[in-house]
Amino acid sequence: MPRNYAQAAPTQYQRLPEYTRDETWIRAFLNHAAIGHLAHGRDDQPFVTPTNFWFDEQARRIIFHGNNHGRLRANLEHNPRVCLEVSEVGRRLPANTALEFSTQYRSVMVFGRVEILVDDEQRRAALYALIQKYFPALTPGKEFRPITDPELARTTVYALQIETWSGKENWAEQAEQLPDWPPLPDDLLK
């Protein structure tokens, strides 16, 4: 019988609980993952926006940025509730039966509300932290010109305040081979 998800928290159930990862794992994953996919919506229309991001661990929030004008900002001003999916894919895993084919993956789902940062010092610091994540060897004022006031004025900096999250990892070395069909040869499993 299917579960009733009507009153369930978004992270309450996972189909394979053995793949669930703890908060330490989630924090480490968010600190190194490269791209997230932000789910947001307007009325009955869902949207997904890929974005780079910085995990502000101390404040338990995700920082990302965008243009001052456009659908993303309009949607978030209308409905600040979002979900951010961050994932990493490894090898594809063949099997000897169709439903056991698999892919190595790691993922985190973050649920919360987005706020638009308005304080210029906070916005500037968040943008520099975002740059530092992706370009740790570069220093403002040395390798690149610091953020100017006009640049800051045309940029929206968002903070996704994390309400709940879940982490999941399936990084098996190979898919399950079932006994009702001949096993795949070793050279196909690599």
Side-chain angles (χ1 to χ4, degrees):
M1 174 171 245
R3 285 189 177 116
N4 180 355
Y5 292 97
Q7 300 301 315
T11 58
Q12 188 169 347
Y13 298 110
Q14 285 195 7
R15 187 176 63 84
L16 298 169
E18 63 271 23
Y19 292 171
T20 301
R21 296 299 175 251
D22 65 14
E23 186 167 311
T24 301
W25 185 93
I26 292 170
R27 288 174 180 275
F29 186 79
L30 289 175
N31 275 312
H32 86 266
I35 299 294
H37 297 89
L38 186 76
H40 51 101
R42 181 71 181 249
D43 302 323
D44 291 333
Q45 181 60 56
F47 295 88
V48 175
T49 302
T51 186
N52 53 22
F53 67 94
W54 169 60
F55 173 41
D56 180 355
E57 197 165 350
Q58 186 175 0
R60 195 176 157 91
R61 63 186 184 173
I62 302 289
I63 299 294
F64 58 101
H65 76 292
N67 197 307
N68 282 344
H69 306 287
R71 188 178 303 273
L72 177 64
R73 180 159 177 165
N75 286 355
L76 294 176
E77 286 177 337
H78 179 75
N79 178 7
R81 297 199 57 75
V82 299
C83 173
L84 179 75
E85 180 274 344
V86 181
S87 57
E88 179 180 351
V89 177
R91 292 184 14 252
R92 287 167 181 49
L93 306 173
N96 68 344
T97 187
L99 293 183
E100 293 303 323
F101 279 72
S102 189
T103 302
Q104 293 174 325
Y105 68 89
R106 298 176 175 116
S107 65
V108 168
M109 301 292 287
V110 176
F111 298 88
R113 292 182 178 273
V114 170
E115 299 172 1
I116 295 173
L117 298 182
V118 294
D119 179 80
D120 283 350
E121 280 187 45
Q122 285 184 354
R123 294 170 63 225
R124 198 177 303 270
L127 290 170
Y128 282 132
L130 186 60
I131 292 169
Q132 181 68 30
K133 174 185 176 179
Y134 293 95
F135 303 96
L138 303 180
T139 306
K142 185 175 179 187
E143 287 86 14
F144 67 95
R145 180 179 47 76
I147 300 167
T148 66
D149 289 340
E151 289 168 339
L152 190 62
R154 66 176 191 255
T155 304
T156 300
V157 180
Y158 302 97
L160 189 174
Q161 295 300 144
I162 298 169
E163 294 172 359
T164 187
W165 58 19
S166 65
K168 191 173 174 182
E169 180 179 41
N170 172 20
W171 211 264
E173 286 305 310
Q174 70 179 47
E176 185 174 350
Q177 307 299 307
L178 297 182
D180 64 345
W181 195 261
L184 290 173
D186 286 343
D187 63 326
L188 291 177
L189 295 174
K190 295 178 180 162

